[in-house]
Amino acid sequence: MSLVACGPELALAAKAEQIAVRSMTSLKPSTTWDTSTLVRGDFNGDGLPDWAMVGYRSTRIELGVRLSARRPAKVRTQFLEFGIGSELQAAICDRPARLQVEAQFCHPMDEALPGCKPSKHANSIILSGGDCDPIHLYWNSDTRTMDWWRL
C-alpha cells in the first residue's frame, strides 16, 4: 500500500529534480554540469525542497543552488564559485567534487555564523573534494542567500 501512496509523490519529486537540473544548465550553459552530484534539501528552511549541483568551468567549480518557492515567479537560483587547489581558502583540493546534505549547524567552534538561524528544518550543504577541509554552506537569513564557512 505505501508504494501506491508514494507513487505520485515520487513522480512529483522526479519532475522537480528534472526542472532544477534544466534550470541550472540553461542559466549557465557554458558550465559542464555533473548531474551525479545533484542533492535535495531544505536549504533556506522554508519547508520546500531545494536543489544543489556542481558544475565545472575551466579550473573553477560552479555550485548551483535552486531555491524553491510556493509561487513559481519567486523560484530563484544562486550560483557560487569556488576554486580547485589547496592554495585557496574558497576551494576544494581536487576533482571530483562531492556534495552532502546535513542538518544546519550555526555555531562552528562555538562562534555564531552571520545570519545563521538554528532550525530543525534547514539543511546545510557540504562541498568537498580531495584531502582538504570541506566547505560548509548555510542559509544566511540576513542576506537571504547561501553563505559559506570553512575551518
Side-chain angles (χ1 to χ4, degrees), residues 40-52 65-70 74-78 101-102 104 115-125 137-147:
R40 175 184 168 185
D42 182 2
F43 305 130
N44 58 359
D46 66 356
L48 298 173
D50 304 311
W51 303 89
V65 181
R66 187 170 195 276
L67 300 166
S68 299
R70 299 203 190 283
K74 296 288 183 179
V75 172
R76 64 189 175 108
T77 304
Q78 179 184 353
V101 176
E102 294 185 357
Q104 184 165 278
C116 189
K117 294 189 176 165
S119 166
K120 292 180 181 179
H121 306 288
N123 298 119
S124 292
I125 303 169
L137 293 106
Y138 70 96
W139 180 251
N140 183 326
S141 60
D142 293 341
T143 62
R144 305 199 46 78
T145 60
M146 295 298 291
D147 210 340

Side-chain angles (χ1 to χ4, degrees), residues 5 21 82 85 89 104 113 139:
V21 168
F82 297 97
Q89 179 69 0
Q104 184 165 278
L113 294 170
W139 180 251

Side-chain angles (χ1 to χ4, degrees), residues 1-93:
M1 263 197 199
S2 63
L3 289 177
V4 174
C6 291
E9 291 173 13
L10 290 174
L12 285 174
K15 184 175 181 173
E17 179 178 303
Q18 291 171 352
I19 291 169
V21 168
R22 218 174 313 129
S23 171
M24 285 184 247
T25 57
S26 67
L27 289 169
K28 295 275 188 162
S30 62
T31 299
T32 303
W33 292 98
D34 182 355
T35 56
S36 72
T37 64
L38 186 70
V39 293
R40 175 184 168 185
D42 182 2
F43 305 130
N44 58 359
D46 66 356
L48 298 173
D50 304 311
W51 303 89
M53 183 171 58
V54 169
Y56 299 97
R57 206 176 67 206
S58 182
T59 60
R60 309 278 305 159
I61 287 185
E62 188 98 44
L63 177 64
V65 181
R66 187 170 195 276
L67 300 166
S68 299
R70 299 203 190 283
R71 293 184 299 173
K74 296 288 183 179
V75 172
R76 64 189 175 108
T77 304
Q78 179 184 353
F79 296 96
L80 297 105
E81 273 196 25
F82 297 97
I84 302 172
S86 59
E87 67 280 353
L88 300 171
Q89 179 69 0
I92 62 169
C93 286

